[in-house]
């Protein structure tokens, strides 16, 4: 029986639930600050098409095709299982910025038939179809339908399976007509181990092979993605007029210069200026930043976030950052790998005001940048914990029955109920504020020496740093944790997630591939193996639970693994990274997996959640000059996505 999806509030589809986030304190901002946010938000929204194209060369055209088909069928008042499948498929494309699952990376297979789609396509005018110049409808469908429907064509957005050519078997649009070995050799030839301030080679380009040989095509104004970047720059310059201080204006100037030139040296200058800009309430991230979606961890997805400080919650993060040197000095890693002088560590709790690109609709709840190790060492880093998103997640989880199903007993559930929310926030703070910024590479170690395992090792390093310090009495002394038992909630929740509950996000028969999930599995399985029976998976009434017999024994294990992971990172030990990840972070017990999926299915909880953005509107005076900004939080998901595809269509 068909069921029409709810297109307004509490949208659920496939394995996803859409949430909304409040903007607490927005009304107390000055008009100038709100106008600054408005134009930064516009700059954020103009990057959407870039992310779609990066995640697969056919994504934008398939999105346009499906939007046209869906609009036509809606006008015809279609209401059957095939139409509902069209709607679900389009909703998932919007959510994932393409035809690949945003987390699992597998291709999203349509639930409707090719014949149903073709019949609708025949009714659409040409301007609603993604026709290439000179291309007929038949040629278009012959090109796109195999990409959509075939189980043999471009099945993985990012393939990380050991032994495969990771470039040739990944659908991301970062490489064209080159193999993994050719790409690795191309960038190896650029690098100089003696350069202690290397640029992020390959970060903002597509590597192609054509009649000119193998070369880069840079993402810049006047080049690839130029039209979208031009709109981004226009809005950044509008925002510049309302910046809170000269340092913010300098950051914008450098970013605009970088977008125009594509110069990685300018990107480094921008990153340093952004890192050292601590004044003002409003801040933003805008650019080609994270490399998780490149199988070789070189090329960055476009992302954008605009946020403003939550002054009350920031007291905790600033306390942590002000004690950064103490945490570094007392870390259990080898002294060779510690920073003797921690510089420029800043941390704020913030409220997101706009999400874009690879941060929308699914987004991070904590961010630490910049990523270049040498900039972190010489200039520090900036961290944010995004509290209005965390609160939205917490609110959605209330009453779900999740803990009743997966936490082992009443005492542990009481522990989680009392402490889990605060310890989750503190672990995120430690991970972002200190974990990513801790440690240092040995001289001569390349920042990408760990290749495809680098992202997983880096996330494990930051998580382990947080886990180790969660149980330190220093956090109670600083007033960050309420008492000396709270940390146990984090230890149980983390191990339960890594060993059991994160399996709800993986399809049957699959391995773990996403870097954050591999990290959590690696830590949890390593600790369980080395715990001398103090961490176990036990059966009770036919159900599997994590049982911790001795909480005190766990901190030394986290310390030992942190020391090894930091050594791997600092020395660039690729073989050790590969062994650690492949042994502990990849494989899944199929029987446990099936059990967990069945238990989770009965709870009727969406394993993934994302956010619908607020909608900002300008208030103007009689001469048309902006004077203020109003905000609406009730735009329906479908309406927002269709509007974005119309108003911010830079590349199609």
């Amino acid at each position: 029986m068909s069921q029409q999806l709810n297109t307004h509030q509490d949208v659920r589809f496939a394995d996803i639930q859409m949430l909304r986030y409040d903007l607490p304190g927005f009304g107390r901002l000055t008009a100038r600050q709100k106008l600054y946010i408005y134009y930064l938000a516009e700059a954020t929204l103009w990057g959407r098409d870039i992310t779609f194209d990066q995640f697969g060369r056919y994504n934008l055209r398939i999105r346009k095709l499906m939007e046209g088909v869906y609009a036509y069928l809606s006008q015809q008042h279609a209401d059957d299982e095939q139409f509902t499948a069209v709607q679900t498929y389009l909703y998932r494309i919007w959510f994932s910025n393409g035809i690949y699952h945003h987390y699992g990376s597998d291709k999203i297979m349509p639930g409707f038939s090719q014949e149903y789609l073709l019949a609708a396509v025949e009714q659409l005018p040409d301007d609603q179809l993604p026709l290439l110049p000179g291309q007929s409808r038949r040629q278009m469908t012959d090109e796109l339908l195999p990409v959509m429907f075939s189980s043999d064509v471009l099945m993985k957005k990012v393939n990380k399976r050991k032994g495969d050519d990771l470039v040739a078997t990944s659908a991301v649009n970062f490489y064209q007509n080159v193999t993994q070995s050719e790409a690795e050799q191309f960038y190896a030839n650029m690098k100089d181990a003696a350069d202690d301030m290397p640029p992020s080679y390959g970060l903002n380009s597509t590597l192609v092979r054509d009649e000119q040989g193998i070369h880069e095509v840079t993402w810049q104004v006047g080049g690839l993605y130029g039209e979208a970047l031009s709109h981004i720059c226009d809005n950044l310059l509008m925002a510049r007029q309302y910046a809170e201080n000269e340092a913010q204006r300098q950051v914008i100037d450098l970013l605009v210069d970088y977008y125009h030139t594509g110069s990685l040296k300018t990107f480094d200058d921008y990153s340093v200026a952004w890192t050292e800009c601590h004044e003002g309430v409003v801040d933003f991230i805008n650019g080609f930043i994270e490399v998780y979606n490149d199988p070789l961890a070189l090329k960055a997805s476009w992302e954008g976030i605009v946020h403003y400080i939550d002054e009350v919650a920031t007291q905790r993060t600033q306390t942590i950052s002000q004690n950064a040197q103490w945490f570094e000095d007392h870390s259990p890693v080898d002294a060779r790998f510690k920073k003797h002088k921690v510089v420029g560590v800043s941390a704020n709790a913030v409220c997101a005001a706009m999400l874009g690109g690879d941060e929308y609709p699914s987004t991070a709840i904590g961010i630490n940048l910049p990523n270049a190790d040498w900039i972190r060492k010489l200039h520090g880093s900036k961290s944010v914990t995004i509290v209005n998103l965390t609160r939205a997640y917490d609110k959605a989880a209330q009453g779900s029955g999740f803990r009743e199903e997966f936490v082992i007993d009443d005492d542990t559930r009481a522990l989680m109920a009392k402490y889990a929310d605060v310890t989750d926030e503190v672990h995120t703070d430690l991970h972002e504020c200190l974990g990513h910024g801790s440690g240092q590479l040995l001289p001569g170690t390349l920042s990408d020496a760990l290749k495809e395992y680098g992202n997983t090792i880096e996330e494990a390093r930051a998580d382990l740093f947080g886990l180790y310090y969660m149980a330190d009495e220093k956090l109670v002394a600083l007033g960050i944790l309420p008492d000396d038992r709270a940390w146990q909630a984090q230890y149980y929740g983390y191990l339960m997630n890594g060993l059991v509950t994160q399996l709800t996000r993986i399809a049957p028969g699959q391995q773990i591939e996403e870097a954050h999930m591999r990290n959590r599995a690696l830590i949890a399985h390593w600790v369980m193996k080395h715990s001398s029976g103090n961490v176990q998976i036990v059966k009770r009434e036919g159900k599997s639970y994590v049982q911790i017999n001795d909480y005190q024994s766990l901190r030394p294990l986290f310390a030992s693994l942190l020391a090894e992971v930091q050594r791997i990172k600092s020395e660039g030990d690729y073989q050790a990274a590969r062994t650690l990840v492949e042994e502990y972070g990849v494989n899944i017990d199929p029987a446990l997996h099936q059990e967990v999926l069945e238990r989770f299915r009965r709870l009727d909880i969406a394993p993934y959640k994302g956010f619908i953005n607020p909608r900002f509107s300008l208030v103007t005076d009689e001469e048309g000059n902006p004077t203020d900004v109003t905000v609406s939080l009730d735009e329906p998901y479908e309406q927002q996505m269709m509007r974005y595809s119309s108003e911010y269509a830079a590349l199609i």
Side-chain angles (χ1 to χ4, degrees):
M1 183 176 181
S2 65
Q3 181 179 0
Q4 184 71 21
L5 297 179
N6 184 339
T7 60
H8 297 283
Q9 304 293 332
D10 301 321
V11 180
R12 286 277 303 270
F13 54 94
D15 55 358
I16 293 161
Q17 178 183 2
M18 298 305 301
L19 308 176
R20 300 182 187 276
Y21 56 96
D22 294 328
L23 300 181
F26 184 81
R28 294 193 296 273
L29 299 177
T30 67
R32 185 181 187 89
Q33 289 169 331
K34 287 188 279 187
L35 288 166
Y36 189 38
I37 287 174
Y38 175 87
Y39 287 108
L40 290 174
E42 289 293 293
T44 298
L45 295 175
W46 273 108
R48 180 173 182 248
D49 280 1
I50 297 176
T51 309
F52 267 89
D53 191 71
Q54 289 181 317
F55 288 179
R57 70 186 62 183
Y58 300 99
N59 280 340
L60 282 170
R61 296 175 64 211
I62 291 173
R63 188 189 81 193
K64 182 173 182 178
L65 174 68
M66 294 309 303
E67 287 172 344
V69 166
Y70 179 64
Y72 165 75
L73 292 172
S74 298
Q75 292 167 1
Q76 303 305 308
H77 305 290
D79 184 16
D80 56 27
E81 291 185 359
Q82 296 261 54
F83 171 71
T84 300
V86 166
Q87 186 181 39
T88 300
Y89 185 65
L90 179 57
Y91 275 31
R92 297 185 71 186
I93 288 173
W94 285 333
F95 189 88
S96 297
N97 291 301
I99 65 171
Y100 300 93
H101 194 280
H102 73 288
Y103 214 77
S105 198
D106 294 312
K107 184 160 70 174
I108 301 167
M109 301 302 291
F112 50 89
S113 69
Q114 296 190 48
E115 292 74 19
Y116 185 82
L117 179 66
L118 288 170
V121 168
E122 287 305 312
Q123 305 304 313
L124 297 180
D126 285 355
D127 63 1
Q128 293 184 26
L129 295 173
L131 297 170
L132 299 176
Q135 189 178 48
S136 68
R137 289 167 181 257
R138 177 62 181 272
Q139 290 171 327
M140 176 201 70
T141 54
D142 285 349
E143 179 186 18
L144 296 184
L145 265 60
V147 179
M148 297 169 61
F149 287 91
S150 174
S151 59
D152 298 320
V153 178
L154 298 175
M155 290 301 295
K156 297 284 290 187
K157 180 175 73 172
V158 185
N159 180 30
K160 296 183 179 180
R161 189 177 294 271
K162 182 176 65 175
D164 289 352
D165 183 318
L166 303 184
V167 167
T169 57
S170 295
V172 283
N173 198 14
F174 297 135
Y175 305 94
Q176 296 179 12
N177 304 318
V178 296
T179 66
Q180 177 179 346
S181 61
E182 289 171 336
E184 288 176 339
Q185 188 60 52
F186 180 89
Y187 289 108
N189 292 339
M190 289 185 173
K191 295 169 185 173
D192 178 1
D195 186 355
D196 57 1
M197 294 189 293
S200 301
Y201 291 113
L203 188 76
N204 64 334
S205 66
T206 303
L207 187 66
V208 304
R209 181 208 300 276
D210 56 21
E211 62 277 2
Q212 302 175 40
I214 298 178
H215 63 100
E216 292 182 309
V217 180
T218 304
W219 309 330
Q220 64 185 104
V221 175
L224 193 57
Y225 303 141
E227 185 173 351
L229 293 171
S230 180
H231 285 292
I232 291 170
C233 289
D234 289 345
N235 282 283
L236 287 172
L237 292 174
M238 289 295 294
R240 187 186 190 280
Q241 302 176 60
Y242 302 99
E244 298 172 271
N245 51 65
E246 183 57 34
Q248 290 177 343
R249 286 187 282 273
Q250 181 187 13
V251 167
I252 289 174
D253 289 343
L254 285 167
L255 181 56
V256 170
D257 187 21
Y258 162 62
Y259 278 148
H260 277 84
T261 65
S263 165
L264 291 174
K265 172 62 169 62
T266 304
F267 176 71
D268 286 342
D269 292 341
Y270 154 75
S271 298
V272 170
W274 177 84
T275 301
E276 295 180 342
C277 179
H278 302 301
E279 301 174 10
V281 172
V282 180
D283 203 353
F284 70 99
I285 296 164
N286 186 298
F288 304 105
I289 307 295
E290 301 290 0
V291 297
Y292 296 104
N293 288 292
D294 177 8
L296 303 186
L298 293 170
K299 301 187 177 297
S301 309
W302 192 92
E303 67 179 63
I305 295 182
V306 185
H307 56 77
Y308 57 96
I309 289 176
D310 183 311
E311 293 184 0
V312 174
T314 289
Q315 294 176 7
R316 182 185 69 237
T317 57
Q318 289 185 348
T319 298
I320 290 173
S321 64
Q322 289 163 4
N323 287 272
Q325 189 67 61
W326 185 94
F327 286 102
E328 183 78 1
D329 292 344
H330 291 80
S331 171
V333 307
D334 191 299
R336 295 176 299 151
F337 311 140
K338 295 182 182 181
K339 290 178 177 174
H340 302 299
K341 183 178 180 181
V342 177
V343 298
V345 174
S346 71
N348 288 310
V350 302
C351 293
M354 188 60 64
L355 309 172
D358 196 19
E359 294 291 350
Y360 168 81
S362 176
T363 188
I365 57 173
I367 297 171
N368 176 274
L369 292 172
N371 287 324
D373 287 288
W374 69 266
I375 297 179
R376 291 176 182 272
K377 180 177 180 179
L378 297 178
H379 302 277
S381 63
K382 281 185 2 185
S383 300
V384 296
T385 301
I386 311 175
V387 294
N388 59 337
L389 302 187
T390 302
R391 291 164 187 163
Y393 281 129
D394 291 343
K395 183 178 180 180
Q398 292 174 3
S400 68
F402 180 82
R403 289 179 185 163
E404 288 75 9
E405 179 62 38
F406 288 105
V407 176
I408 190 167
D409 53 35
D410 289 342
D411 288 345
T412 310
R413 282 190 285 273
L415 177 77
M416 302 287 283
K418 185 174 183 180
Y419 297 117
D421 287 351
V422 66
T423 57
D424 282 348
E425 291 182 0
V426 171
H427 185 257
T428 299
D429 291 342
L430 292 169
H431 173 112
E432 299 294 350
C433 302
L434 302 181
H436 280 307
S438 66
Q440 63 180 351
L441 301 181
L442 291 183
T445 299
L446 297 174
S447 60
D448 61 348
L450 304 183
K451 300 181 182 179
E452 68 268 29
Y453 299 103
N455 290 330
T456 298
I457 292 296
E458 176 58 22
E459 292 303 322
R461 195 175 69 89
D463 262 2
L464 286 163
F465 193 98
L467 289 166
Y468 174 73
Y469 279 114
M470 286 297 301
D472 199 298
E473 60 185 14
K474 182 77 168 181
L475 296 189
V476 178
L478 292 173
I480 293 169
L481 286 181
D483 57 47
D484 59 5
R485 188 166 178 254
W487 58 273
Q488 295 180 15
Q490 181 62 203
Y491 278 19
Y492 189 88
Y494 191 94
L495 293 174
M496 181 182 72
N497 188 20
L499 293 170
V500 177
T501 54
Q502 75 168 3
L503 298 181
T504 61
R505 295 183 164 197
I506 302 172
Q510 298 294 311
Q511 293 181 327
I512 303 173
E513 296 199 41
E514 199 277 332
H516 296 80
M517 296 180 75
R518 282 186 166 189
N519 142 54
R520 292 188 288 266
L522 183 163
I523 293 172
H525 283 279
W526 188 96
V527 166
M528 184 168 68
K529 181 177 179 179
H530 293 83
S531 71
S532 301
N534 285 317
V535 177
Q536 299 174 311
I537 296 179
V538 299
K539 285 279 191 178
R540 292 191 177 179
E541 298 181 356
K543 295 181 179 181
S544 299
Y545 297 93
V546 172
Q547 178 174 290
I548 299 178
N549 299 317
D550 182 359
Y551 280 92
Q552 297 292 340
S553 70
L554 298 182
R555 193 181 187 215
L557 292 174
F558 290 131
S560 178
L561 185 54
L562 173 58
E564 172 60 7
V565 167
Q566 182 63 63
R567 182 200 67 77
I568 290 171
K569 169 86 172 182
S570 295
E571 295 181 351
D573 189 343
Y574 174 81
Q575 288 303 325
R578 179 177 181 174
T579 298
L580 193 61
V581 174
E582 293 291 343
E583 181 173 354
Y584 295 103
V586 175
N587 298 313
I588 298 172
D589 177 342
L592 175 63
H593 192 194
Q594 181 179 357
E595 175 204 324
V596 170
L597 289 174
E598 289 174 355
R599 291 164 63 186
F600 190 75
R601 191 177 300 116
R602 290 194 291 269
L603 294 177
D604 192 30
I605 302 172
Y608 300 100
K609 295 176 176 62
F611 292 97
I612 302 171
N613 276 327
R615 183 172 186 176
F616 295 121
S617 299
L618 285 177
V619 177
T620 59
D621 60 20
E622 294 179 356
E623 286 75 35
N625 300 310
T627 59
D628 204 351
V629 176
T630 61
V631 58
S632 170
L633 301 177
D634 59 0
E635 185 174 28
Y637 174 69
E638 177 182 312
Q639 180 177 315
Q640 182 163 106
M641 290 298 189
M642 292 293 272
R643 180 172 67 84
Y644 285 0
S645 293
S646 174
E647 295 182 6
Y648 304 99
L651 303 181
I652 58 172

